[in-house]
Amino acid sequence: MVQKAKILLVDDRPENLLALEAILSALDQTLVRAVSGEEALKALLNDDFAVILLDVQMPGMDGFETAAHIKRRERTRDIPIIFLTAINHGPHHTFRGYAAGAVDYISKPFDPWVLRAKVSVFVDLYMKNCQLKEQAALLRLQLEDDREDSDRSGRHAAEPLLAELSARLASVEEQAEALTKQLDDSPEAGAAATAAHLERKLAGLRAALEALRPGVERA
């Protein structure tokens, strides 16, 4: 059974957290609350998250500072961050959000359907990443066990599994390519950042998969 993805909701106002939970409950994932930047950083020490929804205006450590801490940690630097803000100071303020590492920057009040769709993209990507990593780990174990044994044709015993994994990744890449084209055509400022994040993730998975092929030297 595939474990549910965790989504971190960070806002100092309980009513805002309640509203986010109501919007995202339809995704049927695990929603984790944090009422401050400090509490969010503590949550990130113990659990892996598919995406973070981060309020900008918070007392003490604001959203920008919280994001900076998240991006400095090796464990959490690749987690997508969607900034939510009740204020809009123009392009400079938005640019600061992207400079802090956000993949999107949404002003309140926002369309619940749009927010849910954006979060769903990152949840789907996270779940696919988890599945592929698990399969890659199992395949690596089999490769280590069978690396000295080849059949009479010289074909490695694990090659069929490797081919299957490669085909599954190709399917994910095809879906991501279609999604990237949609994002490229979007007028939203965060679309390009979202597409770039998807491409980096899949490129990393493809590189890891190629490293598993027989005859490829590993450090």
Side-chain angles (χ1 to χ4, degrees), residues 10-11 16 20 23-24 51-57 64 81-90 93-98 102-120 122 186 188-191 194:
V10 189
D11 199 303
N16 290 344
L20 288 174
I23 292 169
L24 300 176
V51 62
I52 301 169
L53 274 63
L54 181 57
D55 184 41
V56 172
Q57 298 295 116
F64 295 132
I81 298 174
I82 298 177
F83 272 133
L84 304 176
T85 179
I87 59 175
N88 186 355
H89 293 311
H93 202 257
T94 302
F95 176 78
R96 187 181 175 192
Y98 292 125
V103 296
D104 216 332
Y105 191 97
I106 304 176
S107 297
K108 304 174 185 176
F110 45 77
D111 186 329
W113 292 94
V114 171
L115 179 64
R116 187 160 52 238
K118 289 177 182 292
V119 172
S120 178
F122 291 108
S186 172
E188 297 182 19
T194 302

Side-chain angles (χ1 to χ4, degrees), residues 139-160:
L139 181 57
R140 184 181 290 277
L141 288 175
Q142 183 161 351
L143 283 168
E144 293 296 333
D145 291 340
D146 298 340
R147 61 183 175 179
E148 306 240 345
D149 299 323
S150 297
D151 56 27
R152 293 182 180 177
S153 65
R155 190 165 181 260
H156 198 283
E159 282 187 7

Side-chain angles (χ1 to χ4, degrees), residues 2-6 29 49-50 117 119-137 164-179 197-198 201-206 208-209:
V2 178
Q3 190 174 6
K4 292 183 178 181
K6 290 183 172 67
Q29 304 300 325
F49 290 88
V119 172
S120 178
V121 169
F122 291 108
V123 168
D124 288 345
L125 179 62
Y126 175 82
M127 301 297 282
K128 288 183 174 68
N129 284 343
C130 289
Q131 293 170 10
L132 287 168
K133 286 178 180 177
E134 289 175 2
Q135 293 176 43
E164 179 182 355
L165 185 59
S166 181
R168 292 187 184 187
L169 179 55
S171 176
V172 177
E173 290 170 331
E174 183 178 349
Q175 296 173 32
E177 183 179 357
L179 176 62
H197 181 85
L198 292 174
K201 281 287 189 180
L202 286 172
L205 287 172
R206 173 59 68 181
L209 180 61

Side-chain angles (χ1 to χ4, degrees), residues 31-47:
L31 306 177
V32 179
R33 285 188 174 200
V35 296
S36 67
E38 292 85 354
E39 188 172 322
L41 294 176
K42 289 180 181 178
L44 289 163
L45 288 174
N46 303 315
D47 290 315

